[in-house]
Amino acid sequence: MSSISKSPIAAALLGALAIAAVGTAAAQEAVVGAGDAEALFTSPDPKLHANKQVVYRVVRDLLEANHWELAEDLITERYIQHNPNAVSGRAGVVAYFTQVLKRAPTPIPARISTPIVAVTAEGDLVTVLYPRVLPDKADPSKTYSTTWFDTWRIKDGKIDEHWDPATRD
């Protein structure tokens, strides 16, 4: 047995380096969307299916096509927002996308084009995972792949609350 493997400090250091190396290698895998994103917004459970379909319309009609005039059909008036860049209330989220981000409407597509990794539903919550590519702060000439998520609470067939990992702009 070598003197390195006999030292608890050296063994811990080697273990930490091994874990870091595995973590770095695993982080190199690109996050990719599912082949059939539409199928992810379905469920054999009628309530979960209905909730996923509300979120599907939010992704397609509001986030992709920017038809915020449809927000009244999809978002409660009290809408609770946990993103630090937008205020709560349906009027607040509509203003954020139409006035702050200045997104103009485009035709609503027959199928979504946003890459989707997964959609999960449990009770009144629906979470959508998206692939995301960001610039590498250590080397701005490079990018890395990660995952974004949105979670929505559905109440009476409309989005009532929202979470995502956004930080202040």
Side-chain angles (χ1 to χ4, degrees):
M1 190 177 276
S2 74
S3 61
I4 291 178
S5 61
K6 290 180 185 176
S7 165
I9 294 172
L13 180 58
L14 286 174
L17 288 172
I19 290 169
V22 169
T24 300
Q28 300 305 309
E29 295 296 323
V31 178
V32 296
D36 183 7
E38 305 283 324
L40 301 175
F41 289 92
T42 65
S43 174
D45 179 293
K47 182 65 174 167
L48 298 181
H49 182 78
N51 288 349
K52 284 183 166 188
Q53 288 296 294
V54 170
V55 170
Y56 175 80
R57 289 201 53 217
V58 166
V59 172
R60 186 191 67 184
D61 301 358
L62 303 183
L63 298 176
E64 272 193 17
N66 297 298
H67 279 272
W68 290 93
E69 76 278 6
L70 302 175
E72 187 174 340
D73 298 336
L74 298 168
I75 301 173
T76 64
E77 187 176 349
R78 83 172 196 133
Y79 180 73
I80 301 168
Q81 176 62 272
H82 298 289
N83 178 315
N85 299 302
V87 297
S88 288
R90 181 175 55 230
V93 73
V94 169
Y96 179 73
F97 282 95
T98 60
Q99 296 169 19
V100 176
L101 297 181
K102 299 186 185 303
R103 298 209 175 141
T106 60
I108 295 173
R111 298 173 62 85
I112 62 172
S113 61
T114 301
I116 306 291
V117 174
V119 179
T120 59
E122 181 69 30
D124 61 357
L125 298 174
V126 177
T127 299
V128 179
L129 301 172
Y130 312 88
R132 190 167 190 200
V133 176
L134 296 172
D136 186 337
K137 290 180 183 176
D139 183 351
S141 70
K142 295 181 181 177
T143 60
Y144 67 95
S145 177
T146 188
T147 308
W148 181 267
F149 78 87
D150 283 300
T151 297
W152 290 280
R153 182 180 313 281
I154 312 300
K155 183 177 180 182
D156 299 326
K158 294 183 179 185
I159 301 297
D160 189 56
E161 192 167 7
H162 171 258
W163 297 262
D164 65 25
T167 57
R168 292 213 184 266
D169 290 338

